[in-house]
Every structure is written in structure tokens, then in C-alpha cells.
Amino acid sequence: MRRLDRHCPDLPLFDVAHTRRIEAAALAPLPAHALMQRAGAAVARLALALAPHARLIRIVAGTGNNGGDGIDAAIHLQHAGKAVEVILLGEPQADDARDALARAHDAGVPVHAAATSALGAQDLAIDALLGIGASRAAEGKLREAIAALNALPCPVLAIDLPSGLAADTGQPLGEAARATQTLSLLTLKPGLFTAAGRDHAGTVWFDDLGIDTTREQPEAWLGGAAIAAAPARRHAQHKGSFGDVAVVGGAPGMGGAALLAGRAALAAGAGRVFVEMLDAQAPALDPARPELMLRPGWSRHVDPATLAHSTVVCGCGGGDSVRTALPALLSNVARLVLDADALNAIAADESLRRQLRARAARAQATVITPHPLEAARLLACSNPAIQADRLAAARRLADEFACVAVLKGSGSIVAAPGRVPCINASGDASLATAGTGDVLAGWLGGHWAQRDEADALERTWHAARHATWWHGAAAEAAARPVLRAAELIEQMALR
């Protein structure tokens, strides 16, 4: 069993259909009821570790195998000397769950149709209602049971998945449990880590129940710290060894966005950073970071050969003005990060969309970094449609525009054509402040300019994954409820 956090290695994520196939294959060689008994033992171990001083542990069990896991856990907890009660919503419908209930009766575990005592803050409730079985909004007694769990004053441990949360997408299906901790069993599910999943799951734990799934093709990866290392810097290298980055943005009233992106590119280690402010009245110097070279009209005046070897971050605070800079950048730049207003301009202009799609055929690499509303504009759909299935939306973005897509939000997703997408494991709500997206785009460009993988797609993929993980990890390490964008840059620079 392991606790999952930003430092976890890359781990496979499986959707419900694949999880059921893995479960069926795992059951075949095992004695009857063995897998459920492993699950119950795992739940009991975690419950004892989380609430060693609980006066009472309540298991709220449904009629399926998730309920059976909870009932089996109750047997182990009672054997460990804990006071337990099982609230059973109905007669078990699965053989394994019926066996668990029979053994619970034999062990003298109290089983009731409703709670018989109140829980205090030191106690523990275990959500064993639905697991991956949720397919529609809960109704009747099931909905009431979920609401009662959410009203408890004590921690809630969910088995496999908070009841009412869609395992594949992280979307609540009506009333969904809000767990303090979740123990995912056999496989990890994508919905625990994106959309509303992290708010509902709390801290996620994983136990594979002794089943090897490494030969299976996952639906996605949970991306941890394994990708975070930046290229080593050798003693004899100089600033020219680490690439040039240009930031194009900063229309009137939005100059701060371009400066934040430029500062982040510098902090990431780019050798030189130019900033083309689209505001003709912008200052010629960033007093806080005089290392930045502010170059009005850079994209119009630089020769095509330089563009063909450049890493450019375009769109941060670009406003409507960025539209005129995009055709040359899309046509000529070797490595292009498109963010914010650059994406809005492309979404509204079919000629720019065609230019973006054509870049891959010329071996020009692109990373787009939309938040959900920008993604909705690019895909001509609604923001709720993006959030309803973030993995599918990220894949569509990558395939539609033949690029690496970073769909930002809770559980940011990195996707690329022909690759299994990655849900980022780092980050928290302290990033929900103005300018943090500009920092991500700038850091991505600064890091990308330095990478040296021979394969262009590998280089792009690793740069996007590194920047996304590092961005979130720095926010978590800062341990503040709110993190200003300029402070985020300094935190990211603390390697």
C-alpha cells in the first residue's frame, strides 16, 4: 500500500471497463472470495492507521462488491479489537459480498439498516456504497446515505472511489461523497485525479492487492516526479548553450503577463530571453529583472533563419494585438508555446487553425496550454463539455492540432498524438491566481529551449510534462493558501 502525492512515480490509470477485465482475469486463478478478503484486509489496515483512537468505526455498505469489501474490513477491524458497526442498505447482490456478510454474522459484527449511535470527531466512517459502480445520480436511500456521510463530523475513508464520483472522468453524478481519504484497490482510476476528483477523494492511497497490471495498456498515466529532472549543466557551457526564448505578448493594460512569462523563462535557465511587448508605450526595461531584453517588434524584424531556431512563447496578455504576430510565428518558429490570447485568436480564425495544424508536417513542434474555456473555444464546444471528460478533451486537442496539449485545471492533462495521456500529480488551489498560467508558459519555453533529446516529439513531451509538474510542485512546496505569480517564479527557481 502506498500514499500518492506529487513525488509518486509514474503510475498507470485504468478506466472502469479495463478495471473489470483486470479483476476478472485476477479472479480466475484465485480461490473463491480471496480477492475480496485481500481488499477487506487492506481497508482495515489503513483504517487502523488513520484512526487508531477511534471509539467507533462505521462502515456504510451498499449491495455490491464495494459493500462486500467494507463488510470484510469490518470483520478484520473487529478482530483487531475495534468497535464497529455496519450500516447495510440492502441484501448483497454479489456472491463475494454475500459470503462476506455471512462471515460477518458469524464473527458477531453488528449489522443494522440504520445508524444506532452518533459518531464524534475522533471516529471514522468508511464509504463502501458504490465504488466504481456509479453510473448515474444516486436516488432514494442511496442518495440519503451519501448525504449522511458528507454531514458527519469525523473523517471518511472511501473504498476504491468516493460514492457517486465517476471513475473515468472525476465528475460527480449528482450527490457524491466527499472523502478525507480514498483507498483505490487493484487499479488506480483516472477520475480520482482530475476534474472534481481530488476535491472528493482527499488523500489517495493505492493497494494493488498483489495483482500485476504492468503488462496492461493504461487509459492514462498519473505523472509524478520521475520526469522532473532538468538537463545537467556542464561547467564549460555558456549562456549560448541554453537556448534563446522570445516572449510575444503584453498588449496595452496586460504587460505584466508577458513580463511574468519572460521572468519564468529566465528562472527556468534559458540563456537569453527577449520580450516583445505589443504595447507601443511599454517601458524599455523591466526594473525587477533587468536581465530581460525588451525588444519592440522583435517578431517583425528578426530574420526567418533566427525564427527557425527559436523557442517562442506567444499569447501571454496578447489581447487582440497578438493576431498580427501569429502568421509569421506559426509559419517559421521551430518551438512554439501558444497560450491565452494566442489560442483565442486561433480559435476564431480558420486560417490560423490551418497554419497550426500544418506545423507538425514541417517538423515544427508546438505546445498549447489552454484552460478549459480556451479549450472549449478551440474545440467549438462548451466549458462544461470540456470538464465532463477532460481526458477525452485533451486527446481531441492534441489530435485536432497535431501538437502537445496541456489542458490546465485540477489534474492538468498532457496529451500528444499517439501517446497515452498523462494526468499531472502535482499542484493545488494556491495556483488559482492571476498570472500563474503565464508563469507556466514561460517556464515551459525556458526549459524546452535547453532540452537536448534528438527526437523532437520526445523533447516536446518531456518539456511539457516537466513544466506542468514543476509548476504544481512548487505551489505545493510553498504551502500557502494563495500564491502570487511572481512568488511562484521564485519558488520554482528553488531547485
Side-chain angles (χ1 to χ4, degrees), residues 288-301:
R289 280 288 172 260
E291 307 95 325
L292 287 177
M293 291 176 275
L294 274 60
R295 298 286 178 84
W298 177 88
S299 62
R300 298 193 305 275
H301 302 147

Side-chain angles (χ1 to χ4, degrees), residues 162 165 169-171 191-202 204 410:
L165 186 74
T169 65
Q171 282 296 315
L192 292 168
F193 304 102
T194 195
R198 292 176 69 177
D199 283 330
H200 282 267
V204 178
S410 180

Side-chain angles (χ1 to χ4, degrees), residues 135-151:
S135 59
R136 61 182 185 275
E139 299 176 346
K141 290 200 305 185
L142 183 57
R143 185 192 63 77
E144 292 170 5
I146 293 173
L149 280 170
N150 288 339

Side-chain angles (χ1 to χ4, degrees), residues 248-255 257-258 278 315-319 322 339-341 438:
V248 180
M254 295 182 285
L278 299 176
C316 300
V322 77
D339 185 47
D341 289 320
D438 304 308

Side-chain angles (χ1 to χ4, degrees), residues 5-51:
D5 59 20
R6 68 182 185 274
H7 296 297
C8 68
D10 287 359
L11 294 168
L13 304 173
F14 296 100
D15 61 15
V16 170
H18 204 157
T19 294
R20 295 199 188 282
R21 291 196 296 271
I22 291 170
E23 182 179 26
L27 287 169
L30 294 176
H33 318 307
L35 200 61
M36 180 167 287
Q37 290 170 20
R38 291 184 192 179
V43 173
R45 285 197 303 274
L46 183 55
L48 290 169
L50 293 174

Side-chain angles (χ1 to χ4, degrees), residues 260 430-439 483-486:
L260 286 168
S430 69
L431 290 169
T433 61
T436 56
D438 304 308
V439 171
L483 189 61
R484 289 173 293 197

